[in-house]
């Protein structure tokens, strides 16, 4: 049963890793990240760094370590694009934000030399808490713009399918509540995104024409 869980857990994680690619292509094609919430990308990338630290300090399975590293790496492409296509004022804000996160993690790693599990658990808790609000900035941005131009449907769909599969796996194998809650949260946001794609489809078509 544990072997089946180990194998199945790679599937949603692979979808999460691949999700950033269609959004990166959309950004390149438009030469803009106007359809993306920079706050969403900041939270996603930051929580990715936090999860990587938590997973390694607490000794979670290899599949989690490998795929979370690849997930964070794939989202770093969106971070670079967001910085490149932003105004100078926004670039300064992004620099300060990412520098603060990296500095915090470096300090935590120093403390982890003496208290690895405690620091890992604390960082993991911060990551779970922050992830609750991960996609909310994008939902608000879509609502205010009343258009999905610049926001990739395939990006949202791959994240959504990954979350639904992860939720099914978590329920089937009776995984801890935080895992179930995290997957349910991600799946819920995906249904909101799909609803927004449906509601704002006419304006999307008008923009395309």
């Amino acid at each position: 049963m544990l072997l089946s869980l180990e194998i199945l857990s790679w599937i949603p994680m692979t979808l999460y890793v691949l999700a950033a690619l269609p959004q990166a292509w959309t950004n390149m094609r438009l030469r803009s990240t106007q359809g993306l919430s920079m706050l969403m990308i900041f939270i996603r990338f930051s929580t990715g760094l936090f999860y990587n630290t938590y997973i390694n300090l607490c000794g979670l399975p290899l599949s989690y370590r490998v795929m979370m590293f690849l997930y964070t790496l794939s989202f770093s492409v969106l971070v670079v694009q967001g910085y490149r296509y932003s105004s100078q004022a926004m670039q300064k804000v992004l620099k300060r934000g990412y520098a603060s996160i990296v500095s915090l993690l470096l300090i935590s790693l120093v403390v982890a030399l003496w208290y690895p599990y405690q620091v890992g658990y604390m960082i993991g808790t911060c990551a779970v808490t922050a992830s609750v609000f991960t996609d909310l900035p994008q939902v608000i941005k879509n609502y205010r713009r009343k258009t999905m131009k610049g926001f990739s449907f395939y990006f949202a769909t791959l994240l959504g399918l990954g979350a639904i599969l992860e939720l099914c796996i978590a329920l089937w194998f009776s995984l801890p509540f935080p895992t179930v809650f995290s997957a349910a949260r991600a799946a819920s946001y995906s249904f909101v995104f799909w609803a927004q794609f449906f509601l704002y489809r006419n304006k999307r078509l008008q923009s395309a024409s």
Side-chain angles (χ1 to χ4, degrees):
M1 186 171 180
L2 289 177
L3 180 61
S4 299
L5 174 60
E6 184 73 20
I7 294 174
L8 289 174
S9 64
W10 287 84
I11 301 175
M13 292 301 293
T14 300
L15 293 176
Y16 291 148
V17 170
L18 295 176
L21 299 181
Q23 183 61 57
W25 171 252
T26 298
N27 297 339
M28 288 177 59
R29 183 170 52 84
L30 297 176
R31 295 186 178 277
S32 169
T33 54
Q34 64 176 351
L36 268 185
S37 166
M38 287 299 99
L39 182 56
M40 180 195 71
I41 297 302
F42 174 78
I43 298 175
R44 275 195 174 276
F45 185 73
S46 299
T47 53
L49 294 177
F50 280 21
Y51 273 123
N52 274 284
T53 306
Y54 156 70
I55 286 169
N56 283 279
L57 288 177
C58 293
L60 268 67
L62 178 64
S63 60
Y64 284 90
R65 282 180 278 172
V66 172
M67 298 309 289
M68 184 53 68
F69 172 76
L70 293 177
Y71 167 84
T72 308
L73 187 64
S74 67
F75 267 84
S76 68
V77 176
L78 301 184
V79 170
V80 172
Q81 288 181 326
Y83 178 83
R84 179 183 177 185
Y85 296 132
S86 294
S87 64
Q88 289 186 348
M90 178 57 71
Q91 287 179 348
K92 290 182 180 179
V93 173
L94 292 174
K95 275 184 181 179
R96 291 171 183 169
Y98 288 115
S100 299
I101 292 297
V102 172
S103 299
L104 177 62
L105 284 177
L106 289 176
I107 294 172
S108 300
L109 288 175
V110 173
V111 179
L113 294 174
W114 292 275
Y115 307 100
Y117 181 79
Q118 290 85 346
V119 172
Y121 187 83
M122 180 188 68
I123 291 177
T125 302
C126 292
V128 170
T129 303
S131 67
V132 173
F133 307 99
T134 297
D135 296 318
L136 184 59
Q138 186 66 52
V139 171
I140 295 173
K141 185 181 183 74
N142 296 340
Y143 174 76
R144 288 176 176 172
R145 295 171 70 231
K146 296 293 190 296
T147 178
M148 305 299 281
K149 183 180 180 182
F151 185 60
S152 172
F153 174 79
Y154 299 105
F155 171 64
T157 298
L158 286 172
L159 288 176
L161 292 177
I164 292 171
L165 282 174
E166 185 180 11
L167 178 59
C168 291
I169 292 170
L171 292 173
W172 181 262
F173 289 96
S174 300
L175 296 183
F177 175 75
T179 303
V180 176
F181 176 80
S182 178
R185 171 207 55 82
S188 299
Y189 274 120
S190 295
F191 281 109
V192 174
F193 287 143
W194 288 329
Q196 288 182 321
F197 273 106
F198 177 78
L199 291 172
Y200 306 141
R201 67 191 184 284
N202 291 333
K203 192 165 184 179
R204 184 181 178 88
L205 291 172
Q206 290 172 6
S207 299
S209 61

